[in-house]
Structure formats: C-alpha cells, structure tokens
Amino acid sequence: MALRGRPRSFDRDFALEQVMEVFWAKGYEGAQLNDLTAAIGVTPPSFYAAFGTKEAAFREAVDLYVATVGSVPMRALEDAGTVRDGIRAMLAGSIDVALSTKPGGCLLILGVVNCLPENLPVREHLFQARRKTVELIAARLERGTREGELPTGTNVAQLAAFYHGILQAISFQARDGATRAELEALIEPALAVLK
C-alpha cells in the first residue's frame, strides 16, 4: 500500500537544532516566525506541522539545549574529583558554552529576560530549567560537605545561588562581548569563596 501525503522535506532533529540556534541568538520574543522558517528552510504551515506552535518549538529547543550544550558544564561539575575542581570545571564549561555562538551567552539565562504577559509560561519553563541547575550545584556542594571538603554548617543553598549567579554573569558578559580572558578571570575569585 502506498503512503499518502507528502513526506516532510526536512530532517526534524536537524531542524530542531537550527530552531534552538535561532532562539539562543534572538531569545523567544526576538525570534520571529520568518527567522525560524528561514533557518530550517520551510514554509510557516510546515513549521506548524512539525512543531505545533512557536512556544512548543521553544520548549523543545530548551529541552534539547539542556540535554546537549547545557549539560556539558553540569557534567563537568559532577564528574570532577573535588568540589573545587567541579566548580572550576563548571565555570570553564559555562564559558565555553557562552562563547560558542554569536551573540554569546546561555539560552536558559537569556532566552526570556523580560516578556509580555502572554509569554509568562515560556519564562516559567526557563525558570524551572534554571532551578534544576541550582539543584545540581547544591547537590554537588552537599556531597562535598558530606565528604569533608567543605566545613560542616556550610550554607549550601546560599553557595549554590552564588555560583548560579556567577553562571548568569558569565552569560550576560559573553552576550556583551567579553573575551575569554575576561570571563576566565571570574573563576579564581569565585573559587575563593570555598573555604
């Protein structure tokens, strides 16, 4: 039996990577439908057939980012032998990610900075992804406390929020054109917080 209908004219996985790049560069509100369709070489009806809505495409792009590009710093944090080495590796990995695309930065941090009221669900999706980052940092710091690398009584929540703030600083400064050397200069002062 012959298949009915026209086959999709593009590779959806590759298209999602391209959509992710557009959202990463322009943010949710800055990315217009024509930017997204031009990036993947389809018409608006084909885009909607593939992704449903712009919001659905953004959510998928964020999830892809978290699973691929964004996972590198978090894996480095977890895989390092010590808390200090893990934090250093996470910050260095974040710098690599922030400088890996133009105009720079992190999709999770810059994807929706300010938004119209109707886009609050998109902002919430990014907020939840960022909360997961804080949780991963806190889990590594807690492990360091249990293993005696950090003093008993270390305020893990405060320290995790601090390091998440450093990740945000890296992202914003990369978007503003900071050089690798300027961003790497943030690492040692951030590590000085660990006692």
Side-chain angles (χ1 to χ4, degrees), residues 36-114:
L36 298 167
T37 57
I40 60 177
V42 298
T43 63
S46 294
F47 175 85
Y48 290 123
F51 296 106
T53 64
K54 177 182 171 184
E55 179 179 338
F58 182 76
R59 288 173 181 269
E60 279 192 60
V62 167
D63 293 345
L64 177 64
Y65 180 91
V66 168
T68 58
V69 179
S71 70
V72 173
M74 295 300 99
R75 276 196 319 266
L77 170 68
E78 184 59 32
D79 293 345
T82 66
V83 169
R84 181 176 294 281
D85 289 346
I87 295 292
R88 178 182 281 112
M90 176 190 71
L91 296 175
S94 180
I95 291 167
D96 290 342
V97 169
L99 295 176
S100 68
T101 188
K102 292 293 179 197
C106 169
L107 175 59
L108 297 184
I109 295 168
L110 299 171
V112 178
V113 177
N114 296 313

Side-chain angles (χ1 to χ4, degrees), residues 1-180:
M1 179 173 189
L3 294 175
R4 292 183 167 227
R6 185 172 155 241
R8 288 189 178 160
S9 61
F10 66 97
D11 176 336
R12 190 178 188 287
D13 292 336
F14 178 75
L16 182 57
E17 289 175 19
Q18 300 310 301
V19 165
M20 179 186 75
E21 293 288 336
V22 172
F23 283 128
W24 192 357
K26 295 185 173 219
Y28 179 74
E29 290 183 351
Q32 301 302 310
L33 180 60
N34 63 336
D35 299 319
L36 298 167
T37 57
I40 60 177
V42 298
T43 63
S46 294
F47 175 85
Y48 290 123
F51 296 106
T53 64
K54 177 182 171 184
E55 179 179 338
F58 182 76
R59 288 173 181 269
E60 279 192 60
V62 167
D63 293 345
L64 177 64
Y65 180 91
V66 168
T68 58
V69 179
S71 70
V72 173
M74 295 300 99
R75 276 196 319 266
L77 170 68
E78 184 59 32
D79 293 345
T82 66
V83 169
R84 181 176 294 281
D85 289 346
I87 295 292
R88 178 182 281 112
M90 176 190 71
L91 296 175
S94 180
I95 291 167
D96 290 342
V97 169
L99 295 176
S100 68
T101 188
K102 292 293 179 197
C106 169
L107 175 59
L108 297 184
I109 295 168
L110 299 171
V112 178
V113 177
N114 296 313
C115 68
L116 298 170
E118 61 266 23
N119 294 327
L120 288 175
V122 173
R123 184 173 163 200
E124 179 63 24
H125 187 68
L126 284 178
F127 175 76
Q128 293 305 321
R130 289 191 300 266
R131 295 295 345 134
K132 179 67 176 165
T133 298
V134 174
E135 291 169 10
L136 292 170
I137 296 168
R140 182 60 183 96
L141 294 168
E142 287 169 0
R143 188 175 110 201
T145 301
R146 281 192 314 275
E147 294 175 357
E149 295 178 72
L150 297 173
T152 303
T154 295
N155 187 334
V156 169
Q158 187 178 50
L159 205 50
F162 169 78
Y163 284 117
H164 189 250
I166 298 298
L167 294 176
Q168 291 173 329
I170 288 169
S171 182
F172 277 105
Q173 289 184 30
R175 179 64 57 105
D176 286 346
T179 65
R180 178 172 295 279

